[in-house]
Amino acid sequence: MPNILPVPILQDNYVWLAHQAGRAIVVDPGEAGPVQARLNELGLQLEAILITHHHHDHIGGLAELKAHYDCPVYGPAGIAGVNQPLADGETLVLAGLGWRFNVLAVPGHTLDHLAYYGEGLLFCGDTLFACGCGRLFEGSPAQMQASLARLAALPDDTLVCCTHEYTLANQRFALAAEPDNAELRQRAEADGARRVRGEPTLPSSIGLEKASNPFLRWQSPSLMTVARRHGAVDDSPVQVFAALRRWKDQFRG
């Protein structure tokens, strides 16, 4: 598995840096300076940039990095600076590193959103968060629930490399929705201690998310009951997800 580390940028974003044998990729560079500093500190050559979607906090440093390193930029078609457009079902092969990633279309947060799965890693942008998921700025609840179900089907030991440190806020909502989830309570305590120490709560794992993230737990009877109280008309995964997402949009816990 590649070496990975989250590079903090802006208020609560992470740029993911994955490296091996002196070569590296970065994912969603919302800022260039902190990324360049880490590359220089570790003596790494930037081989490629991966983009998940078009929001500025994920591409703000792209032009500067591309100009400095002259490397390929992979991502959704139509984003300025992406010179290697990708689509669902393709395989991204990074020959210099010997890595392969499956390209997954995961619309919901945005319609163009891609995720990258390979080498035991999932770079999922703003689709799946630790104990949460992204807001629906462009897609429908049905699209987002289907995208999350696709990610939940990955192996449990897959490391989830999402791009915001939203974990503690997400856990406050998750605990309000499912207060009797013992694994969630244990996770929230551990993640709270990490943040006190100044450590990131990421990466997570698919197995941990399935056990403690309400937006992947639409088959939980207790969450079905909660969803009914927040507007779900039946217990289908889309209705449960949509009700929880609407509640989360207004939650001030």
Side-chain angles (χ1 to χ4, degrees), residues 119-140:
E119 310 301 324
L121 306 173
L122 172 66
F123 297 113
C124 52
D126 285 358
T127 298
L128 175 64
F129 292 136
C131 279
C133 72
R135 287 180 178 267
L136 278 64
F137 287 117
E138 297 176 9
S140 68

Side-chain angles (χ1 to χ4, degrees), residues 6 20 23 33 43 46 55 86 95 145 178 182 192 202 207-208 231 235 250:
Q20 184 173 285
R23 298 180 176 185
L46 185 59
H55 286 163
L86 296 170
Q145 190 273 327
E178 200 176 17
L202 302 168
L208 185 57
D235 294 333
Q250 302 170 355

Side-chain angles (χ1 to χ4, degrees), residues 5-227:
L5 67 135
V7 180
I9 64 164
L10 304 174
Q11 182 176 350
D12 51 31
N13 282 70
Y14 289 127
V15 178
W16 284 95
L17 191 157
H19 64 96
Q20 184 173 285
R23 298 180 176 185
I25 65 170
V26 298
V27 184
D28 285 352
E31 265 189 312
V35 175
Q36 288 180 285
R38 292 311 301 268
L39 290 169
N40 292 337
E41 176 188 344
L42 297 172
L44 299 173
Q45 174 61 39
L46 185 59
E47 293 283 306
I49 299 171
L50 278 59
I51 301 296
T52 64
H53 66 291
H54 63 262
H55 286 163
H56 184 73
D57 60 330
H58 295 253
I59 63 170
L62 175 55
E64 185 176 344
L65 287 175
K66 184 181 176 185
H68 186 82
Y69 293 99
D70 191 27
C71 61
V73 180
Y74 299 92
I79 296 177
V82 170
N83 54 24
Q84 300 288 330
L86 296 170
D88 183 51
E90 293 190 83
T91 301
L92 168 58
V93 179
L94 299 170
L97 286 156
W99 300 345
R100 299 170 66 91
F101 291 93
N102 297 329
V103 180
L104 309 174
V106 285
H109 181 68
T110 65
L111 293 178
D112 66 347
H113 205 302
L114 298 178
Y116 304 91
Y117 166 67
E119 310 301 324
L121 306 173
L122 172 66
F123 297 113
C124 52
D126 285 358
T127 298
L128 175 64
F129 292 136
C131 279
C133 72
R135 287 180 178 267
L136 278 64
F137 287 117
E138 297 176 9
S140 68
Q143 285 177 310
M144 188 63 144
Q145 190 273 327
S147 294
L148 291 170
R150 193 174 191 189
L151 299 183
L154 297 174
D156 281 357
D157 61 355
T158 302
L159 296 184
V160 176
C161 303
C162 54
T163 47
H164 285 277
E165 185 57 75
Y166 289 165
T167 307
L168 300 192
N170 286 341
Q171 287 169 346
R172 288 192 289 274
F173 172 77
L175 286 165
E178 200 176 17
D180 294 330
N181 185 326
E183 188 151 0
L184 169 60
R185 296 179 69 85
Q186 182 179 7
R187 179 184 185 183
E189 183 177 347
D191 284 338
R194 290 188 182 96
R195 296 307 290 156
V196 168
R197 297 193 298 267
E199 300 171 0
T201 60
L202 302 168
S204 175
S205 72
I206 290 293
L208 185 57
E209 294 309 316
K210 289 195 298 187
S212 54
N213 186 332
F215 295 107
L216 298 186
R217 291 176 53 76
W218 43 78
Q219 294 178 333
S220 161
S222 65
L223 286 176
M224 290 178 185
T225 299
V226 169

